[in-house]
Amino acid sequence: MSVERARSMVMEPGAAGAAPVTRRREEALCQTSYRPMQQQQPASLLTLLIILGFSLTLVAVFFISQRPVSDHLGFVITVFVALGVFVLLFLLVCVEPLFQRCHAVFSLLVWGFLITMAFVFAFTGGPVQPWEQVAFFLFITIIVYTLLPLCLKSAVIGGVVTSLAHIVVFSIYVPVTNHSEDHLELQLLSNAVVFICANLVGVYHKTLTERALQNTCRDGLNFSQSRGKLVSEKKQQEHLLLSVLPAYIALEMKAEIIKRLKDKQPDLEYSNNFHNLYVKQHKHVSILYADIVGFTQLASMCSPKELVLMLNELFGKFDQIAKENECLRIKILGDCYYCVSGLPVSLPSHAKNCVKMGLDMCHSITQLREATGVNIDMRVGVHSGNVLCGVIGLQKWQYDVWSKDVTLANHMESGGLPGRVHITEATYTHLDGEYEVEEGEGETRDSYLTGLKTYLVIDPRVSAPVNGDVLSPLPPEGVKQRASVRMARYLESWGAVKPFAHLSHRESMELDTPPDITAVEIPMNNLNQHRTTDRARSQKPEEMNEPIESVHSYKHWVKSGEMNPITLYFKDWSMEKEFRWAPLPDFHLYMACSVLIFIAVFIIQMFISYKNTALGISYGVSFFIFLLLLFTCFAGHLTRWTQKGPRFVQWIPSISAAVIKQPLVRVPVQVITILLILIMALLNFFFLPEPVSTNSNYLYTVPYYLYCCLLSMLSCSIFLRMNFELKLTLLTLALVVYEVIFLYSYGYRSDHYVSELYTNSSRPGVLKEPKVMAGIWLFVFFFTVLVLARQDEFYSRLDFLWKRKFGQEREEIETMENLNQVLLENVLPAHVATQFIGQNRRNEDLYSQSYECVCVMFASIPDFKVFYSESDVNNEGLECIRLLNEIIADFDELLSKPKFSGVEKIKTICSTYMAATGLNTVSGNNEDTDRSYAHVGIMLEFAIALMGKLDYINKHSFNDFKLRIGINHGPVIAGVIGAQKPQYDIWGNSVNVASRMDSTGVLGKIQVTEDTADILQSLGYSCSLRGVIKVKGKGDLQTYFVEMDAGKTAIQLP
């Protein structure tokens, strides 16, 4: 299968069972992509260099030894033709695109020419012996498995065909042509053992290497996907954070949250006695308050869906107007909307922006009223001055502003007129005569404005000012639709963006461009929760394949600066140390394959070597050592039996664990194993009978001891995760010792054997003389195993680097996911968040929910308004806000208690704390009365706990604040509105009455309505009658105070 085919598979459309399909796509991509990621080009170039060096060495030895060309014409022609072919192949391989397309043809050509050379060398230059060219065929078999760009199946075919070619040809040809050869059968069997061992070692190396490469490729895919997920998570948390806060505060809070998450201390937020304060002072701003007049009556006639839709459309339109006029929406309070111009960047036109926005809002509402005939209007108040802005508390962050100027702007709204923009003199002075105004007479409608000169702005788009005391007439009699229906339908034409739009859309696979963290406002219409399947489908296959191919490239990592290009060491020493101390779970496989080589050497020597006492003793001792080493490595597999045995054997599996995990134990085991194989390959060569004219039967063993040495050198390549420098040391030591023994110390045995084979004056071929064979093939295998060691070292480090980077990515993703969770919980209640995230739903509708029984609490600190002052002593009011932050944060900490898990904080309004219970229950359950109203008692317990907390704060801050609390229960409507800053809120008459219970209450008391008092009394709480009080908009209500002398409601405070 081609890479292009795999890529097309990745682009298949999704269907049922998307996860298995995606997994198959990933597997297909791995299967077809990991081969180009093997260091094929560098490995192939090095293979060709070894072959070229080998060919040049043959030419040099041939001419230096002054062999006649006429006697070895086939050898000379073959070598020079091979040199030309391999030089041409080397040049072609240097062209990487050509090599990637034709690597199979390249492998076939190399294999074919090497086989041809081996047979030519065997059948020219002298009589054919059964041991001839075994080293050459062994070399071809090894490179087919390890260095040529072939898959496992092709490599097995190539290796087996190579081995069978030698075995079959020589088994047929030698017995026919050489009748006097001693021990012919044993030599042919020894050849077979050599090739069987070579193929098994090759399959072992190829299997482990391919498995590691496929795992690394899979890690690469995961890394690519996790990187995409990380980008997605970062976008999500930025969208989430920026949906609540302006960027300049969001950055600071985000850094603090990430720090807490990485420190694994999400709850232990602070190391000192104070909570962090994210509040800053801004001067020269304008504050706008706007209230929809007549909306409360309209809302009472709406269904939950209609109410949320109307509010979202209205406030979505207002957000759009705010953006056009460079205003920053602060908060939505019921049907009240307020914003500031001049934040976070100071604007000289802040007053003009707010006035223009107020006029645009009134104009939009006028159009709405004229189109629908619904009796609503807009009352706007604007004031210019200074503010403290930021976030207080620990939960349900909402950006807010505080100052006396903010309070004045609020009263400018309440003292204004419907359809008009009411401004102070401070704002008027900043208008520079751009708008015409008339006397506002605000003090006649709000006593707080007494002594202040106010103005009403004349909208240049209106020919005559609207009489603000009179709302528009009722709709014509012909209109039969309810006002809420008419208004909802008209508002839909405005097309306000829905909160968290496309949050769960499966088609929306990618987020838009990452939000600019420096921007003031980021719409929330692109927040997306990706799943792994979606991410896999959303990424183009080229994008998935490109990073994998690049990261497996040697050049990539050299350029990245992670590794030294020469030593491959990590430049970060801590990373290098971590790599060297990393455990090796496959170490027992390394040992098993090394034993295979040892057994092959033993069998070969049993076939061809002289049987003496030294042979028996040496192998007896070495077998015992190998059994100990194998037991050490495989002891971990005996756990099932040792656990059932006596206690003194239960420690045995820990031996294997120590070898796997401890380099100080593992490295000596590796060195001992390799040295033992290297020694046993040649040890009994010293005990062969000396060649004399009457006893030279064992001289044919000289080439086979060479083959044993070549096999033993392969044992260094068995340990894939062994340090390169250690392999180099052992190989160099083996090369020097072997060369000295074969060429000098015992070179006379080769000379004696050659003199017996070639009794006339003719000279044998270059590779028909055992001594020359040893000198050449030992060097060829030395460099071949070094190339393998280098390649294995690279892959080992690459695999480690991938796993390390993937682990870091995963940690960062987990941090981002936790951050998103924290942020989301501060935007929406948990039960509401599940409606938007993690569900396969088309989020076409706004979230709205009606509840039959919700208990609402407003807890205010009226004394704080008196306490609050702005002077140099308290940093223009900042220290007062710091104390308020401590109070609200301590209140928020109560929410983490299991007892109050059902309490949902809604918002804070200046120094007023709003919470509710009963929002996380499903309405309509047929529960008994006590149980269905239990949350009302929890709300009361929470209110009493707030009073206790405030008393505790008073004690330590030397203040005397008192809470004034109002509680009411009844039906409410909950929903999420606002595209720019999605906000969860609750509406309804029950909420308004709870607010009035607070505003008409008494310090230090909890005031409740009569119905709520009845429920509390049924739950065992005591209430005392206060009497009938006048409540704005509700008339006369009979209220009660909760008696707080019962020990039942006491809580333990710090």
Side-chain angles (χ1 to χ4, degrees):
M1 182 186 295
S2 65
V3 175
E4 288 74 14
R5 171 59 182 155
R7 289 175 175 174
S8 66
M9 290 177 64
V10 176
M11 298 179 70
E12 293 174 0
V21 171
T22 302
R23 175 56 57 190
R24 289 197 296 270
R25 289 170 181 156
E26 292 178 2
E27 293 292 341
L29 189 60
C30 279
Q31 290 290 338
T32 55
S33 298
Y34 81 91
R35 282 198 301 275
M37 292 178 254
Q38 304 175 33
Q39 287 218 110
Q40 288 185 341
Q41 190 187 31
S44 299
L45 289 173
L46 290 173
T47 303
L48 288 174
L49 285 176
I50 292 173
I51 295 172
L52 288 172
F54 165 69
S55 301
L56 290 172
T57 302
L58 292 179
V59 172
V61 171
F62 179 83
F63 286 107
I64 290 173
S65 61
Q66 298 182 347
R67 285 174 168 81
V69 176
S70 58
D71 293 343
H72 304 278
L73 188 60
F75 170 85
V76 174
I77 293 174
T78 302
V79 170
F80 278 102
V81 170
L83 274 173
V85 170
F86 288 123
V87 167
L88 180 61
L89 286 175
F90 183 88
L91 295 176
L92 293 176
V93 170
C94 291
V95 183
E96 187 171 1
L98 179 63
F99 172 75
Q100 293 295 345
R101 287 197 302 269
C102 306
H103 61 272
V105 176
F106 161 79
S107 301
L108 183 62
L109 288 175
V110 171
W111 178 81
F113 274 101
L114 289 177
I115 288 287
T116 302
M117 289 176 66
F119 277 118
V120 170
F121 294 165
F123 289 98
T124 59
V128 179
Q129 302 298 322
W131 48 262
E132 279 195 42
Q133 306 309 320
V134 171
F136 205 151
F137 280 83
L138 176 62
F139 170 71
I140 297 171
T141 302
I142 293 301
I143 67 168
V144 162
Y145 281 106
T146 57
L147 294 178
L148 293 183
L150 295 170
C151 64
L152 178 60
K153 182 179 178 180
S154 300
V156 169
I157 293 173
V160 171
V161 170
T162 302
S163 304
L164 288 177
H166 187 282
I167 293 172
V168 171
V169 171
F170 280 79
S171 297
I172 296 173
Y173 183 81
V174 174
V176 174
T177 59
N178 194 344
H179 301 286
S180 60
E181 182 65 35
D182 296 328
H183 308 295
L184 177 61
E185 297 81 3
L186 294 178
Q187 293 184 61
L188 293 175
L189 286 173
S190 298
N191 294 348
V193 172
V194 170
F195 292 126
I196 290 173
C197 179
N199 278 277
L200 291 177
V201 170
V203 170
Y204 156 86
H205 190 280
K206 191 72 174 179
T207 301
L208 288 189
T209 304
E210 284 202 352
R211 188 182 71 178
L213 283 170
Q214 288 176 350
N215 290 337
T216 307
C217 174
R218 198 167 289 111
D219 287 344
L221 282 172
N222 292 336
F223 181 84
S224 177
Q225 293 174 5
S226 69
R227 186 164 49 189
K229 180 179 180 180
L230 181 59
V231 172
S232 173
E233 295 287 351
K234 286 182 176 179
K235 290 176 183 177
Q236 289 183 36
Q237 57 89 0
E238 286 181 0
H239 277 296
L240 279 169
L241 199 54
L242 291 170
S243 74
V244 185
L245 309 169
Y248 72 105
I249 284 185
L251 276 175
E252 188 178 351
M253 297 192 75
K254 173 183 167 184
E256 177 66 25
I257 299 170
I258 292 177
K259 181 176 181 296
R260 282 161 38 205
L261 291 173
K262 287 185 176 180
D263 292 341
K264 309 294 184 184
Q265 294 180 324
D267 297 324
L268 304 177
E269 184 179 346
Y270 309 100
S271 57
N272 52 35
N273 294 327
F274 297 98
H275 300 88
N276 286 358
L277 181 66
Y278 303 102
V279 175
K280 295 184 179 180
Q281 184 182 40
H282 286 269
K283 296 184 177 181
H284 309 299
V285 300
S286 290
I287 310 106
L288 177 147
Y289 270 81
D291 186 66
I292 304 175
V293 182
F295 190 82
T296 302
Q297 183 180 359
L298 176 66
S300 64
M301 300 182 293
C302 295
S303 67
K305 183 176 179 180
E306 289 172 342
L307 176 62
V308 174
L309 173 63
M310 284 192 294
L311 287 173
N312 184 72
E313 296 291 341
L314 280 170
F315 294 136
K317 179 68 172 180
F318 295 162
D319 285 344
Q320 181 182 347
I321 295 172
K323 186 176 181 180
E324 293 171 353
N325 290 285
E326 297 184 284
C327 294
L328 174 65
R329 191 246 283 177
I330 303 300
K331 195 180 290 187
I332 298 170
L333 301 175
D335 58 357
C336 178
Y337 183 103
Y338 66 101
C339 62
V340 176
S341 181
L343 286 179
V345 180
S346 180
L347 297 172
S349 59
H350 57 85
K352 297 176 184 178
N353 293 340
C354 277
V355 170
K356 176 67 164 54
M357 178 176 176
L359 294 173
D360 289 345
M361 294 171 80
C362 292
H363 183 68
S364 297
I365 293 296
T366 300
Q367 289 180 323
L368 173 64
R369 184 177 62 250
E370 292 174 351
T372 63
V374 177
N375 287 335
I376 63 170
D377 213 327
M378 205 77 198
R379 189 171 59 222
V380 180
V382 179
H383 173 59
S384 301
N386 306 324
V387 296
L388 293 168
C389 57
V391 176
I392 61 173
L394 304 179
Q395 295 192 19
K396 295 297 183 294
W397 300 319
Q398 291 184 1
Y399 190 64
D400 211 343
V401 290
W402 306 268
S403 73
K404 292 183 176 179
D405 291 321
V406 173
T407 305
L408 178 54
N410 190 7
H411 284 278
M412 287 296 294
E413 177 270 314
S414 60
L417 293 174
R420 305 300 300 275
V421 177
H422 191 204
I423 64 173
T424 61
E425 190 169 14
T427 302
Y428 177 69
T429 57
H430 287 87
L431 296 180
D432 300 327
E434 187 165 325
Y435 292 94
E436 293 183 10
V437 297
E438 60 185 7
E439 294 295 327
E441 300 177 352
E443 69 275 8
T444 61
R445 294 176 294 274
D446 191 326
S447 59
Y448 188 88
L449 303 178
T450 302
L452 293 177
K453 191 173 184 61
T454 65
Y455 302 91
L456 294 172
V457 179
I458 299 175
D459 190 345
R461 289 170 292 194
V462 180
S463 57
V466 179
N467 187 352
D469 294 324
V470 181
L471 290 175
S472 296
L474 291 173
E477 294 181 359
V479 180
K480 296 182 179 180
Q481 289 180 327
R482 289 186 295 115
S484 59
V485 175
R486 298 195 306 273
M487 186 169 172
R489 290 188 175 180
Y490 178 80
L491 288 172
E492 283 183 348
S493 65
W494 284 359
V497 178
K498 295 178 175 62
F500 305 105
H502 311 299
L503 186 63
S504 300
H505 277 197
R506 306 291 291 189
E507 293 81 359
S508 181
M509 289 293 102
E510 294 186 42
L511 289 169
D512 288 347
T513 305
D516 183 2
I517 197 68
T518 61
V520 174
E521 284 292 343
I522 301 294
M524 282 293 293
N525 59 339
N526 291 313
L527 185 61
N528 203 335
Q529 180 73 13
H530 290 292
R531 293 188 179 183
T532 304
T533 305
D534 301 331
R535 292 192 304 272
R537 283 195 293 151
S538 66
Q539 282 185 297
K540 295 179 181 178
E542 292 81 1
E543 294 173 354
M544 296 174 68
N545 202 40
E546 180 275 329
I548 305 171
E549 293 181 358
S550 65
V551 296
H552 284 76
S553 166
Y554 176 79
K555 296 177 182 178
H556 171 83
W557 291 111
V558 170
K559 291 180 180 179
S560 70
E562 297 277 1
M563 291 190 288
N564 186 296
I566 299 174
T567 64
L568 295 182
Y569 286 1
F570 296 119
K571 294 184 178 180
D572 183 350
W573 176 244
S574 62
M575 191 187 300
E576 180 68 23
K577 183 178 178 181
E578 184 181 347
F579 169 75
R580 291 178 181 267
W581 283 80
L584 290 182
D586 290 337
F587 189 78
H588 62 288
L589 299 179
Y590 302 168
M591 286 299 301
C593 193
S594 65
V595 170
L596 171 66
I597 294 177
F598 173 76
I599 292 175
V601 170
F602 168 73
I603 294 173
I604 293 169
Q605 294 187 11
M606 288 299 102
F607 282 155
I608 55 91
S609 188
Y610 178 72
K611 312 302 186 293
N612 53 26
T613 306
L615 183 68
I617 294 175
S618 61
Y619 273 103
V621 173
S622 59
F623 265 108
F624 177 74
I625 296 174
F626 262 107
L627 285 175
L628 289 178
L629 293 174
L630 283 175
F631 176 78
T632 301
C633 297
F634 282 88
H637 295 76
L638 304 176
T639 305
R640 185 166 50 183
W641 292 278
T642 57
Q643 285 181 344
K644 298 177 182 178
R647 180 167 297 181
F648 70 88
V649 299
Q650 293 182 0
W651 58 272
I652 291 177
S654 62
I655 301 175
S656 178
V659 173
I660 291 172
K661 297 178 181 178
Q662 297 296 329
L664 296 179
V665 179
R666 183 171 65 237
V667 172
V669 172
Q670 291 173 325
V671 173
I672 292 172
T673 302
I674 295 174
L675 284 176
L676 191 58
I677 297 174
L678 292 173
I679 292 171
M680 292 308 299
L682 199 60
L683 179 64
N684 290 288
F685 183 71
F686 300 110
F687 302 108
L688 289 176
E690 290 300 324
V692 293
S693 59
T694 58
N695 185 17
S696 58
N697 291 338
Y698 289 97
L699 286 177
Y700 72 88
T701 62
V702 174
Y704 286 99
Y705 272 101
L706 170 63
Y707 303 152
C708 289
C709 293
L710 297 180
L711 287 176
S712 68
M713 293 176 75
L714 290 178
S715 64
C716 289
S717 67
I718 295 302
F719 296 92
L720 303 182
R721 280 286 301 271
M722 189 176 182
N723 292 333
F724 177 78
E725 61 271 20
L726 192 54
K727 290 182 180 180
L728 176 62
T729 302
L730 292 172
L731 284 171
T732 303
L733 178 64
L735 176 68
V736 172
V737 172
Y738 289 163
E739 292 285 15
V740 168
I741 291 173
F742 281 109
L743 297 182
Y744 296 100
S745 301
Y746 290 87
Y748 62 88
R749 290 182 177 176
S750 175
D751 296 336
H752 194 86
Y753 186 41
V754 170
S755 65
E756 284 191 357
L757 293 176
Y758 298 88
T759 54
N760 53 20
S761 59
S762 64
R763 296 284 301 278
V766 174
L767 292 181
K768 287 178 174 287
E769 188 173 345
K771 183 164 66 175
V772 178
M773 282 171 52
I776 294 176
W777 284 117
L778 286 171
F779 269 101
V780 169
F781 272 74
F782 172 78
F783 287 112
T784 301
V785 176
L786 278 187
V787 170
L788 284 178
R790 175 81 171 188
Q791 183 174 263
D792 294 340
E793 177 90 354
F794 173 79
Y795 287 138
S796 298
R797 291 179 177 272
L798 178 63
D799 184 62
F800 167 80
L801 200 58
W802 261 122
K803 286 182 170 58
R804 192 173 190 273
K805 286 186 174 294
F806 187 54
Q808 292 173 346
E809 289 275 332
R810 185 174 300 172
E811 287 181 6
E812 193 169 353
I813 288 171
E814 289 176 357
T815 300
M816 287 298 170
E817 288 175 342
N818 293 335
L819 177 60
N820 285 352
Q821 183 179 356
V822 171
L823 295 176
L824 192 61
E825 289 175 354
N826 277 284
V827 179
L828 304 173
H831 68 282
V832 179
T834 58
Q835 300 294 322
F836 293 94
I837 288 185
Q839 293 193 3
N840 242 349
R841 54 167 274 184
R842 290 188 174 275
N843 185 27
E844 299 294 346
D845 297 326
L846 293 160
Y847 171 78
S848 61
Q849 182 69 50
S850 61
Y851 297 88
E852 292 301 321
C853 181
V854 170
C855 189
V856 184
M857 179 206 73
F858 283 84
S860 63
I861 311 174
D863 292 340
F864 185 80
K865 294 180 180 178
V866 179
F867 170 80
Y868 180 83
S869 63
E870 296 174 359
S871 63
D872 294 336
V873 176
N874 61 21
N875 201 5
E876 298 299 328
L878 186 62
E879 298 308 316
C880 298
I881 299 300
R882 188 183 304 278
L883 178 59
L884 179 62
N885 181 55
E886 293 299 314
I887 295 171
I888 300 300
D890 283 355
F891 288 175
D892 287 345
E893 287 176 348
L894 289 173
L895 297 172
S896 62
K897 293 181 177 292
K899 181 179 183 179
F900 302 128
S901 60
V903 179
E904 192 67 51
K905 177 184 176 182
I906 304 300
K907 67 180 77 169
T908 55
I909 310 161
C910 221
S911 60
T912 300
Y913 195 94
M914 179 184 176
T917 57
L919 290 170
N920 54 356
T921 59
V922 180
S923 59
N925 286 350
N926 295 323
E927 300 174 340
D928 59 84
T929 305
D930 289 344
R931 192 173 177 187
S932 62
Y933 291 122
H935 66 87
V936 179
I938 293 173
M939 187 80 266
L940 177 62
E941 296 271 354
F942 184 71
I944 297 172
L946 294 183
M947 288 183 161
K949 267 289 186 184
L950 188 59
D951 289 340
Y952 177 80
I953 294 171
N954 286 334
K955 180 180 177 182
H956 290 81
S957 63
F958 306 104
N959 285 297
D960 191 25
F961 293 125
K962 294 291 183 183
L963 273 176
R964 187 183 66 199
I965 299 177
I967 296 177
N968 183 39
H969 81 282
V972 302
I973 296 172
V976 180
I977 60 171
Q980 297 286 347
K981 292 176 181 289
Q983 179 178 316
Y984 177 80
D985 209 342
I986 56 177
W987 304 272
N989 185 62
S990 303
V991 178
N992 297 335
V993 172
S995 175
R996 300 306 182 192
M997 289 297 98
D998 165 33
S999 60
T1000 61
V1002 176
L1003 288 177
K1005 296 285 187 178
I1006 301 175
Q1007 183 173 226
V1008 298
T1009 59
E1010 185 175 10
D1011 291 340
T1012 304
D1014 291 342
I1015 290 175
L1016 289 174
Q1017 288 171 346
S1018 69
L1019 294 174
Y1021 298 92
S1022 299
C1023 298
S1024 60
L1025 178 65
R1026 180 188 183 186
V1028 177
I1029 62 170
K1030 188 174 290 293
V1031 176
K1032 181 182 177 183
K1034 306 300 175 185
D1036 295 336
L1037 291 179
Q1038 185 163 273
T1039 64
Y1040 291 76
F1041 288 133
V1042 177
E1043 299 293 336
M1044 293 177 289
D1045 56 352
K1048 172 183 176 180
T1049 60
I1051 65 166
Q1052 296 296 324
L1053 294 174

